[in-house]
Amino acid sequence: MLFTYLVLPLSCYNCAVLVEKIIDRIRSFGVRKLSYAGRLMLVKSVLTSLYTYWANIFLIPKGVLRKIDSICRNYLWDGSSQYVRVPMVGWEQVCSPINEGGLGIKFSQTWNVAMVGKLVWWVYSKPDSLWVKWVHHVYLKGAEWHSYSPKAYMGGNWKDICKTKDIISAGFRDGRWIANEKGYSVSSAYDWLRLKMQRVGWEKIVWNTWCLPKHSFLVWLMLKNALPIKERLFRHGIGDDDSCCVCQMAVESIEHLFQRCHLVQRLMGLVADQLQVQHPVGNAIIWLGRKRWTKGKNDTCLFAFMAVYYTVWNQRNICWLEGKVMRPEVLKAGIMRLVQLRIVQTWSTFTQVDKAWINLIGLYA
């Protein structure tokens, strides 16, 4: 019992093993050639899960959490734990939900508070729990939980729980969690605590599960105006000029490269003719969001036009490095082979109407 009272809060030194474990996991990946989408998946499913157990019990020092966020950010944008490349998008935007234009990565400090808040909720709602009974016997001793303050000699972990209570106390009303009718949950607490941003409206189009993740990530960067386009680079003193790598006829901006350049216009036209749909106007992703075709036709057209954007960006990079671009007809053939393969993989999910349309345009082998 004496140990319970004397235990100190976690320090950065205590958490060094956690940071090293995350760095070791990145070294074990050995996959710097993964796409951004691949690294995003590893950040969300592996790296952030490594500190989840600790965050479920303790308030991890802010310096350690900032270090973890830094490691995850560096790995996402460059594939290593060290700061090598300037991030294309700020970490606060990356950590916002997908429907607010982010990538859905959890901001570690807010997530830690939300997870420890579960212990606060247990004291409110689980009087029969053995741990709650122990807390009332050792710490509360009849005091009201909502107005309770720990004594100076009490354990550091208990003080962290009380500190969390003070942070989220506004979310409780008469012992009930107001952000969720079913009671406290970590996800609802995280959403209640985090900084809200404006909804974007295109998240279901860009992150359509039918599309390839690397295509979706490229289009996300395009919509965030975060690609290293020549106009942007030249403005920061990088490069000799800001003219379009492909056509050399205008300043290479996001709008020019993906809407006005002859390569993207020609490719969009060829693909639209193959699919027997109207040529996209302006941004094809926003344009597709207004269409009301059948689900199968919508998904197929979205897949094809996102592949066009990915191909255009790939050809732009090849042109910048090697000074050459493949003919639109050849690029279109490669895109349609990719679309055809995706159709074959998901053929059983199409309706009879969609299958008739696919057969009509000659995309099912």
Side-chain angles (χ1 to χ4, degrees):
M1 185 64 68
L2 181 61
F3 175 77
T4 303
Y5 283 96
L6 294 177
V7 66
L8 298 174
L10 285 179
S11 66
C12 293
Y13 176 79
N14 299 139
C15 298
V17 62
L18 175 61
V19 175
E20 189 60 34
K21 186 176 181 180
I22 295 175
I23 294 174
D24 287 343
R25 185 58 61 91
I26 290 177
R27 293 194 189 108
S28 70
F29 289 155
V31 284
R32 291 177 63 92
K33 293 184 180 179
L34 274 179
S35 66
Y36 287 127
R39 295 201 291 265
L40 172 64
M41 185 62 66
L42 288 176
V43 169
K44 295 175 73 172
S45 62
V46 179
L47 298 185
T48 56
S49 66
L50 293 176
Y51 71 88
T52 296
Y53 177 76
W54 290 46
N56 197 38
I57 304 172
F58 309 104
L59 280 183
I60 301 174
K62 291 183 180 180
V64 175
L65 292 176
R66 284 195 292 268
K67 179 65 175 178
I68 292 173
D69 281 340
S70 174
I71 293 170
C72 293
R73 180 197 63 209
N74 296 337
Y75 179 72
L76 174 64
W77 297 114
D78 189 64
S80 70
S81 60
Q82 302 298 319
Y83 182 85
V84 178
R85 180 178 299 176
V86 177
M88 295 185 185
V89 181
W91 191 244
E92 287 188 358
Q93 294 186 55
V94 169
C95 289
S96 59
I98 289 176
N99 61 8
E100 295 179 10
L103 295 178
I105 297 175
K106 296 294 189 294
F107 189 63
S108 62
Q109 294 185 36
T110 307
W111 185 245
N112 189 189
V113 172
M115 296 197 76
V116 175
K118 183 169 58 176
L119 302 178
V120 177
W121 168 248
W122 285 357
V123 179
Y124 270 119
S125 64
K126 295 188 176 182
D128 296 331
S129 167
L130 180 61
W131 178 78
V132 173
K133 289 181 179 179
W134 178 83
V135 164
H136 278 277
H137 177 72
V138 175
Y139 291 121
L140 297 182
K141 297 180 179 180
E144 290 293 334
W145 179 222
H146 67 275
S147 59
Y148 172 83
S149 296
K151 301 294 189 296
Y153 60 82
M154 292 182 173
N157 190 26
W158 174 245
K159 289 180 180 178
D160 285 345
I161 296 174
C162 295
K163 186 188 300 184
T164 303
K165 173 183 69 72
D166 295 336
I167 294 173
I168 65 175
S169 59
F172 290 101
R173 185 174 302 159
D174 298 327
R176 297 176 60 252
W177 180 246
I178 62 176
N180 188 356
E181 295 180 356
K182 297 181 180 180
Y184 187 93
S185 67
V186 175
S187 58
S188 67
Y190 178 81
D191 189 63
W192 183 79
L193 287 165
R194 69 178 179 83
L195 178 65
K196 305 295 191 300
M197 296 186 180
Q198 186 176 2
R199 295 177 67 95
V200 293
W202 41 254
E203 71 280 357
K204 292 183 179 179
I205 305 172
V206 173
W207 299 108
N208 190 311
T209 55
W210 215 79
C211 299
L212 295 182
K214 64 180 182 179
H215 294 179
S216 297
F217 201 99
L218 183 277
V219 172
W220 176 77
L221 287 173
M222 180 189 76
L223 292 173
K224 299 293 285 186
N225 197 25
L227 288 170
I229 216 77
K230 288 186 71 175
E231 177 192 40
R232 185 179 181 186
L233 296 175
F234 187 73
R235 193 166 60 245
H236 289 86
I238 302 174
D240 298 326
D241 62 84
D242 59 358
S243 59
C244 177
C245 293
V246 178
C247 67
Q248 302 291 329
M249 297 176 62
V251 173
E252 187 186 86
S253 62
I254 293 286
E255 183 179 3
H256 169 79
L257 184 63
F258 293 105
Q259 294 183 31
R260 299 177 181 175
C261 184
H262 72 80
L263 177 62
V264 70
Q265 289 187 345
R266 180 61 176 157
L267 260 182
M268 284 289 184
L270 291 171
V271 171
D273 290 341
Q274 174 76 54
L275 299 175
Q276 296 187 11
V277 297
Q278 179 185 358
H279 290 205
V281 178
N283 188 314
I285 305 304
I286 306 301
W287 177 81
L288 277 169
R290 304 190 186 104
K291 293 299 178 183
R292 294 296 180 268
W293 297 318
T294 59
K295 184 179 184 304
K297 187 174 181 178
N298 263 329
D299 289 343
T300 303
C301 292
L302 177 61
F303 183 93
F305 290 132
M306 289 182 75
V308 168
Y309 282 143
Y310 187 85
T311 301
V312 168
W313 180 249
N314 190 42
Q315 289 300 305
R316 175 263 185 193
N317 292 335
I318 293 174
C319 182
W320 196 5
L321 295 173
E322 302 177 9
K324 59 183 179 181
V325 179
M326 296 178 69
R327 289 185 293 110
E329 291 76 14
V330 177
L331 296 174
K332 176 255 183 181
I335 291 170
M336 299 319 298
R337 281 196 298 271
L338 195 61
V339 174
Q340 188 177 37
L341 179 61
R342 191 73 176 106
I343 288 173
V344 171
Q345 291 173 338
T346 57
W347 181 252
S348 60
T349 64
F350 288 97
T351 65
Q352 292 301 320
V353 174
D354 290 327
K355 290 179 179 179
W357 169 72
I358 291 170
N359 287 320
L360 179 65
I361 61 179
L363 283 183
Y364 183 71

